[in-house]
Amino acid sequence: MILAIFISHHALFAQRNSCIECHQELEDELLAPVETFQLDIHQQFGLSCVDCHGGNASEEDMDLAKDESFKGIPKRSQIPDFCASCHSDSSYMRHYNPSLRVDQLAIYWTSEHGQLFKKKDTRVAVCTDCHGTHGIQAATHPKSWTFPWNIPQTCSRCHSDKEYMKGYKIPTNQWEEYKESVHAHALFEKKDLSAPVCNDCHGNHGASPPEVTSIAYVCHQCHPSAGELFSQSPHKKAYDEMGISECEACHGNHKILPPSDEMLGTGERAVCIQCHEPDSEPYQIASRIKEKLDEFIEKIRHAENLLERADRQGVEVSEPKFRLTEANTALIFVRNLTHSFSLVEIEEKIEEGEKIVVEVTEAGENALREARFRKTGLIIATLFIFLLAIALFLKIKQIDRKTST
Amino acid sequence: MKKALQNIYSYIDSRFKLSSLILFAKKKKVPEHRYSFWYYFGGICLFLFVIQVLTGILLLLYYTPSVDSAHESIQYIMSQVKFGWLMRSVHSWSANILIAAIFIHMFSSFFLKAYRSPRELTWITGFFLLLIFLLFGFSGYLLPWNELSFFATRVATDLAGTLPLIGSQIKSFILGGTEVSGATISRFFWLHIAILPLLTIIVLGIHVLLVQILGMSTPIGLGKKKVSEVPFFPNFILKDSLGWMLILALIGVLCVFFPWEVGQKADPFAPTPLGIKPEWYFTFMFTTLKIIPAHIFTLEGEILAIFGFMIGGFFWMLVPLLDRNAAKERKSPVFSTIGWIVFLYIVVMTALTYLLPGL
């Protein structure tokens, strides 16, 4: 009876898949689906070839397998609807992944890609261009084309192809620029998955170029403090009136380099001079902010240098070193405060930090004095010991002579 | 004044019989030959031990043995206490020099066959002193509660835990639990400042007493010739003092230019940092455990190595009883060869730890 149950179980569940059986015998692009489908998320959820392509996989004969339900390879123009036939069906999707959104197609139609697609431009991205075909992985899988550190390459497959993008009249250097950005560094070097990639600013299924005002909102998600300070600054109104995007105007877009103090003030690399005339009041304020900041940094470096010298000379300075981190924290605050462009607020914060730096500098000078004291003490003590040793040596010689005689 | 001093002396002498001690010291002779240099390492060990006691007492004034304040108190000693940095550095440096001096003293006594009859007990007590001072080092290393000492203790006690049958019991006895914790620092502290000093006083007392009673051994080859002798007091003791002064100057230089580090406070939840290793005098065993194959025949390599060290140590302690040639004042090349093998093994393994850390 157990044997009967075992056999019937196999008879029921060990259904054949003639699609795979035949394609396994084929080569190149006809074999590829079989190989890549092994890792496909649909396969992991128990779906098989017929769930997308139709047909009857239990039939050995190819003609019988390709019955009236067989859909074959969908045309490129059919792909969004082809995928959406399941992915937009909430009752169907609930069986497999209830938390997955089902509005991708609806959002897609609002995107730049979707809009052009509707105008019969099938060169624009469709589902398979970003997700693949038979090797589709969940976006959380590190090898997925839509995993954060793969997204820039996924988008750049089309957007960096000058030939392909000809006719769309948009730049093709985004990927090259992004690679140099602070965000790319965070993503690729530090493996920080929260660093923004293409879809964080442009959207994914609803991909479109962000509006001037919305860029700032995207940046504010991770940089809320800088955003708030800027919003309260006089620049906000001026930028809005002139239609300049807030963050992008100074920091750029795809090539957002690590911010440096050189961006402030009136130097060659300062961004303030892009708009402000040399004799204007804002120009003077920018110059003063940079001056104050440089002075503060110089004082911190001096204190750091004193502590390092004392540390190298063996004096315990971990406490003042820890205290100095508070001055460095104040420096971070000050750098952030530059988004308010308020000289008064910046000066106040610098003053707070400078009090700490004065303390640390004093501790550093004391530590160096202590190091000098130790060395002097050592010289005196060693000299005394050696004199005593010489005296002892002479005494030993004298005793030895006396003993031998 | 002179009369007052004489009165004080005679008062003490009549009660403590000092004159008999002075007479003993004056009569006591020390053989002098081309290997006499090695005799001074015994005195250096004693001198360094006295430094350990004195600086240890001073450190006790500020040190607090608890997880929350051990590291902070060391930091306080190093940065706030007047000459605290000097006391701690002298304590740490002299501890390390002391271990090195003990090894030198031990190997020189071994190669000069100073262990032979009737000095077997001098050798055995010396061996116990080596173990005691290694334990001093092991327990003292954890007390600053810094990252290196914490993880080195964890690694060492984990090794003890691998011993079959009694491993886990030994580990939990050492640690006072399953992990290096407040209970461990408390145990190590009392071991370091109470139990081990008490043991040292007893064993060292016997060791020094034996040296005084039996005198210093003369190397085998020289025994048959006429070896000149010098009075212990003042000739030998003055030469000994000269060595102590040079050592003191060396410690001073080391303390000023390389004061002992405080290190980062131990974080029990942090992963073990890369390249963690015990104090240098344990590294020959540590490297052996690292390079030994995981399995030798059917036995686990690490356990085999631990048993190897235990048996080797036992053999080393019993050398005076095993070396029959030396006992009969005959040269014993077999034991000399064994000694050289052990010496080279320790030197090579210690060097490998630092030269090939990724081994």
Side-chain angles (χ1 to χ4, degrees), chain B residues 121-163:
Chain B
L121 280 179
T122 319
W123 171 264
I124 292 169
T125 50
F127 178 81
F128 280 116
L129 283 172
L130 170 73
L131 295 186
I132 289 170
F133 280 99
L134 287 177
L135 269 177
F136 260 124
F138 181 65
S139 55
Y141 192 48
L142 178 73
L143 299 185
W145 199 250
N146 60 31
E147 201 179 49
L148 283 178
S149 65
F150 176 86
F151 286 105
T153 308
R154 185 188 268 181
V155 170
T157 48
D158 280 349
L159 278 173
T162 59
L163 282 171

Side-chain angles (χ1 to χ4, degrees), chain B residues 37-50:
Chain B
F37 170 77
W38 301 106
Y39 286 161
Y40 298 105
F41 281 93
I44 287 170
C45 291
L46 194 64
F47 172 68
L48 288 167
F49 173 65
V50 173

Side-chain angles (χ1 to χ4, degrees), chain A residues 9-207:
Chain A
H9 178 272
H10 273 260
L12 277 169
F13 293 100
Q15 287 176 358
R16 64 180 309 168
N17 188 332
S18 59
C19 314
I20 289 180
E21 282 173 14
C22 286
H23 277 266
Q24 254 170 350
E25 304 299 321
L26 301 170
E27 286 175 351
D28 302 330
E29 72 268 23
L30 293 169
L31 171 67
V34 179
E35 288 176 337
T36 51
F37 192 62
Q38 299 301 316
L39 301 168
D40 196 290
I41 183 133
H42 299 95
Q43 197 264 354
Q44 288 162 24
F45 275 108
L47 297 175
S48 72
C49 316
V50 294
D51 291 295
C52 291
H53 296 286
N56 185 354
S58 61
E59 287 293 346
E60 196 177 343
D61 184 87
M62 194 164 69
D63 291 330
L64 290 172
K66 290 181 177 180
D67 61 12
E68 68 280 4
S69 68
F70 182 69
K71 295 178 205 166
I73 306 169
K75 286 180 187 157
R76 191 168 170 81
S77 59
Q78 296 171 326
I79 286 174
D81 288 319
F82 183 83
C83 298
S85 63
C86 294
H87 279 272
S88 293
D89 184 345
S90 59
S91 57
Y92 179 81
M93 288 304 292
R94 200 183 303 134
H95 297 298
Y96 299 100
N97 191 349
S99 64
L100 196 70
R101 295 173 64 145
V102 287
D103 58 352
Q104 296 95 332
L105 184 66
I107 295 172
Y108 177 73
W109 294 133
T110 68
S111 74
E112 199 72 14
H113 296 135
Q115 296 280 327
L116 289 169
F117 190 82
K118 270 193 174 171
K119 290 176 189 168
K120 308 291 177 204
D121 181 357
T122 53
R123 286 161 56 81
V124 295
V126 291
C127 316
T128 50
D129 292 310
C130 299
H131 294 282
T133 49
H134 294 101
I136 298 169
Q137 308 264 9
T140 50
H141 192 289
K143 286 194 170 174
S144 162
W145 290 2
T146 50
F147 190 73
W149 62 47
N150 295 327
I151 284 179
Q153 288 96 320
T154 301
C155 299
S156 72
R157 276 207 299 273
C158 297
H159 281 273
S160 293
D161 187 335
K162 282 179 188 165
E163 197 55 43
Y164 194 78
M165 294 303 292
K166 204 190 279 176
Y168 292 104
K169 292 176 184 156
I170 55 170
T172 52
N173 62 348
Q174 300 94 331
W175 170 225
E176 286 306 311
E177 288 199 339
Y178 178 79
K179 275 197 281 194
E180 291 177 46
S181 75
V182 67
H183 296 131
H185 176 75
L187 181 69
F188 298 122
E189 306 293 324
K190 296 183 181 172
K191 307 289 176 204
D192 180 356
L193 298 179
S194 65
V197 287
C198 315
N199 65 321
D200 290 293
C201 296
H202 296 277
N204 38 36
H205 298 109

Side-chain angles (χ1 to χ4, degrees), chain B residues 56-258:
Chain B
I57 289 169
L58 290 173
L59 289 175
L60 273 178
L61 298 176
Y62 293 96
Y63 177 73
T64 351
S66 77
V67 171
D68 295 329
S69 51
H71 188 263
E72 285 75 5
S73 62
I74 294 290
Q75 205 157 37
Y76 184 75
I77 290 169
M78 291 296 281
S79 60
Q80 306 295 320
V81 178
K82 203 83 181 158
F83 294 108
W85 66 273
L86 186 64
M87 287 308 109
R88 179 170 180 254
S89 299
V90 169
H91 192 75
S92 304
W93 272 115
S94 58
N96 281 273
I97 299 171
L98 172 57
I99 300 274
I102 291 174
F103 271 106
I104 295 170
H105 184 48
M106 180 184 78
F107 276 107
S108 58
S109 302
F110 183 90
F111 290 119
L112 294 172
K113 306 286 186 294
Y115 52 72
R116 66 193 191 279
S117 178
R119 296 180 182 79
E120 302 95 328
L121 280 179
T122 319
W123 171 264
I124 292 169
T125 50
F127 178 81
F128 280 116
L129 283 172
L130 170 73
L131 295 186
I132 289 170
F133 280 99
L134 287 177
L135 269 177
F136 260 124
F138 181 65
S139 55
Y141 192 48
L142 178 73
L143 299 185
W145 199 250
N146 60 31
E147 201 179 49
L148 283 178
S149 65
F150 176 86
F151 286 105
T153 308
R154 185 188 268 181
V155 170
T157 48
D158 280 349
L159 278 173
T162 59
L163 282 171
L165 302 172
I166 50 161
S168 60
Q169 280 87 347
I170 288 179
K171 186 183 165 186
S172 71
F173 175 73
I174 298 171
L175 297 179
T178 51
E179 280 296 322
V180 182
S181 64
T184 319
I185 203 168
S186 184
R187 263 157 205 248
F188 277 37
F189 176 69
W190 287 108
L191 181 73
H192 195 77
I193 66 138
I195 299 162
L196 292 176
L198 191 71
L199 279 175
T200 310
I201 288 166
I202 297 167
V203 184
L204 188 63
I206 300 169
H207 190 77
V208 172
L209 189 69
L210 286 169
V211 172
Q212 294 308 316
I213 293 169
L214 302 171
M216 287 172 194
S217 136
T218 311
I220 289 174
L222 304 176
K224 292 164 191 167
K225 298 171 197 166
K226 179 77 182 161
V227 175
S228 64
E229 288 182 325
V230 291
F232 177 77
F233 186 85
N235 300 44
F236 187 81
I237 205 81
L238 283 180
K239 283 180 185 171
D240 232 359
S241 317
L242 190 63
W244 300 351
M245 280 182 191
L246 295 176
I247 288 285
L248 196 62
L250 172 72
I251 292 171
V253 172
L254 288 170
C255 291
V256 170
F257 289 102
F258 310 99

Side-chain angles (χ1 to χ4, degrees), chain A residues 312-316 318-319 370 373-375 378 382 385-386 388-390 392-393 395-396 399-400 403, chain B residues 75 78-80 83 85 229-231 234-235 238-239 241-242 245-246 248-249 252-253 256-257 259 262:
Chain A
R312 274 200 302 274
Q313 292 182 41
V315 183
E316 224 297 301
S318 53
E319 264 185 51
E370 169 73 15
F373 169 75
R374 289 180 187 184
K375 278 176 195 156
L378 176 73
T382 313
I385 290 172
F386 274 112
L388 207 62
I390 291 166
L392 207 59
F393 179 75
K395 181 75 184 166
I396 290 165
I399 291 171
D400 277 352
T403 313
Chain B
Q75 205 157 37
M78 291 296 281
S79 60
Q80 306 295 320
F83 294 108
W85 66 273
E229 288 182 325
V230 291
N235 300 44
L238 283 180
K239 283 180 185 171
S241 317
L242 190 63
M245 280 182 191
L246 295 176
L248 196 62
V253 172
V256 170
F257 289 102
V262 180

